[in-house]
Amino acid sequence: MKHPETEQPLRAWYANVKRADWKTPSDVKATYRNASIIGNNRVVFNVKGNSYRLVTAIDYQYGIVYIRFVGTHQTYNKINVATI
């Protein structure tokens, strides 16, 4: 694993999301206050004290969370969050 320090925070995030029943972006914000709601059903989560970013695409109708990107802030700044 290239960034072993992210394993535990990502596992904790996954466990929380697996139990979640998000129907709207407001539901996400109720669980993760610091999540950034972006257009095109994208949500950006801060991982490991904001050292890393996790970008998801959420299909609220079916309750599916697609991981679109996980990386450092430096790498995150190089992507287009709305289209990744």
Side-chain angles (χ1 to χ4, degrees):
M1 178 180 269
K2 189 173 182 178
H3 300 279
E5 68 278 10
T6 63
E7 182 177 0
Q8 188 56 38
L10 287 171
R11 285 184 184 275
W13 176 87
Y14 176 78
N16 287 335
V17 171
K18 193 172 180 179
R19 290 188 306 269
D21 185 26
W22 296 328
K23 301 294 184 200
T24 67
S26 296
D27 294 340
V28 176
K29 289 293 274 186
T31 306
Y32 287 96
R33 195 178 55 176
N34 293 327
S36 298
I37 308 300
I38 310 297
N40 202 21
N41 290 326
R42 299 298 196 268
V43 179
V44 180
F45 296 91
N46 299 319
V47 177
K48 195 181 177 307
N50 207 20
S51 296
Y52 296 86
R53 294 287 177 96
L54 170 65
V55 179
T56 63
I58 301 178
D59 185 328
Y60 295 100
Q61 181 179 356
Y62 294 103
I64 300 171
V65 178
Y66 300 96
I67 296 173
R68 305 296 296 154
F69 170 87
V70 179
T72 64
H73 269 279
Q74 184 179 15
T75 308
Y76 170 82
N77 289 334
K78 296 177 182 177
I79 66 169
N80 182 338
V81 177
T83 61
I84 193 164

